[in-house]
Amino acid sequence: MEKDSPESTELRILHAAERLFVEQGFTKTTTAQIAREAQANSALLHYYFRTKELLFDRIVKSKLEYITGHILSAFLDSDERDIRKRILRATELHIDFMVKNRRTLLFVITAAREQPQLIDTIYNNVRPVLSNNLLLLQKELDAAAKRGEISHIDSLTLILDLLALNLTPLVIFDLAHPILDIDEESFIEARRQETLKIIQQRIAPKP
């Protein structure tokens, strides 16, 4: 039988931790449970991550790496000159990300409220990513507005609008779908089109 590589073992532990954190919460999940879920022994988990707090840190970092590498980079894609297309592309990527990761993001928020020490982990990871990229995005938005391609919009406001448009309906869907006859795929596609329409209207240049 072929042995797992260190990378695959580390990823199994990370994915198992994310699943259990989402299902049970940070406090109720033990490192022993994570090791069993990952089919790894506790010594390996300790070798790679040492504590639950470090696992939490890695989960936050992995989500931010995706956001930086895909969503924010779509906003700043120098190969696409039309900033409106860039914004809409980033919007679609954000929708896809939220669909796949909404329960993890809600867990991160809840865990931070229950365990105040985790707020520093979130803050230390999020701040450098957002501050650098928001400044770059603001320059792009200001230049496009000056050229009359879009309306003026604050970069942080744009990101917060996307969060509100994409996360809130998904949370409501998760709460409502057991009692309502709602097809998830149809709901998500309808929200995708609605979000794109709202963002298009928001950035459209004023006549």
Side-chain angles (χ1 to χ4, degrees):
M1 180 177 175
E2 188 176 334
K3 281 189 174 182
D4 285 347
S5 68
E7 292 83 3
S8 67
T9 302
E10 187 175 359
L11 281 175
R12 280 210 321 276
I13 294 171
L14 193 63
H15 293 159
E18 183 174 347
R19 285 195 300 274
L20 289 173
F21 285 158
V22 168
E23 291 170 7
Q24 301 180 169
F26 183 83
T27 304
K28 291 182 179 179
T29 300
T30 67
T31 53
Q33 287 176 319
I34 295 169
R36 283 197 301 273
E37 179 76 8
Q39 297 181 340
N41 60 55
S42 295
L44 275 175
L45 185 148
H46 186 267
Y47 172 77
Y48 287 118
F49 298 105
R50 297 203 303 278
T51 65
K52 283 199 303 180
E53 287 73 17
L54 287 179
L55 272 164
F56 180 87
D57 180 77
R58 277 291 303 277
I59 290 168
V60 172
K61 280 181 178 174
S62 70
K63 303 307 175 186
L64 285 172
E65 284 167 4
Y66 182 90
I67 290 171
T68 305
H70 294 78
I71 300 170
L72 290 175
S73 64
F75 277 123
L76 303 169
D77 183 7
S78 59
D79 292 333
E80 176 54 71
R81 298 185 65 181
D82 189 335
I83 194 166
R84 291 166 299 185
K85 289 182 180 178
R86 280 189 267 157
I87 291 172
L88 294 177
R89 174 61 180 152
T91 298
E92 291 207 72
L93 289 170
H94 187 264
I95 294 167
D96 293 338
F97 174 79
M98 296 304 288
V99 168
K100 290 177 64 177
N101 293 280
R102 62 190 187 267
R103 293 177 183 87
T104 299
L105 295 176
L106 287 174
F107 149 70
V108 168
I109 294 167
T110 303
R113 292 178 62 186
E114 294 174 351
Q115 305 284 327
Q117 74 273 17
L118 298 178
I119 293 175
D120 287 338
T121 296
I122 299 170
Y123 181 79
N124 292 335
N125 281 300
V126 170
R127 185 181 179 185
V129 170
L130 277 186
S131 60
N132 294 336
N133 284 284
L134 285 178
L135 284 174
L136 292 172
L137 177 57
Q138 192 62 60
K139 288 180 181 178
E140 295 270 357
L141 294 171
D142 289 345
K146 190 174 181 179
R147 294 191 300 268
E149 297 172 2
I150 61 172
S151 294
H152 175 75
I153 186 169
D154 177 73
S155 58
L156 180 57
T157 298
L158 179 58
I159 299 299
L160 292 175
D161 284 348
L162 286 178
L163 277 170
L165 287 166
N166 293 332
L167 180 57
T168 306
L170 290 169
V171 173
I172 294 171
F173 172 83
D174 286 341
L175 291 172
H177 89 271
I179 56 175
L180 298 175
D181 186 19
I182 305 174
D183 175 66
E184 182 170 358
E185 188 175 335
S186 300
F187 175 83
I188 289 170
E189 183 56 31
R191 288 306 311 169
R192 180 189 302 276
Q193 296 308 317
E194 183 67 14
T195 298
L196 289 169
K197 179 182 175 181
I198 292 170
I199 294 297
Q200 281 180 308
Q201 291 172 343
R202 177 64 184 86
I203 66 175
K206 298 293 186 287

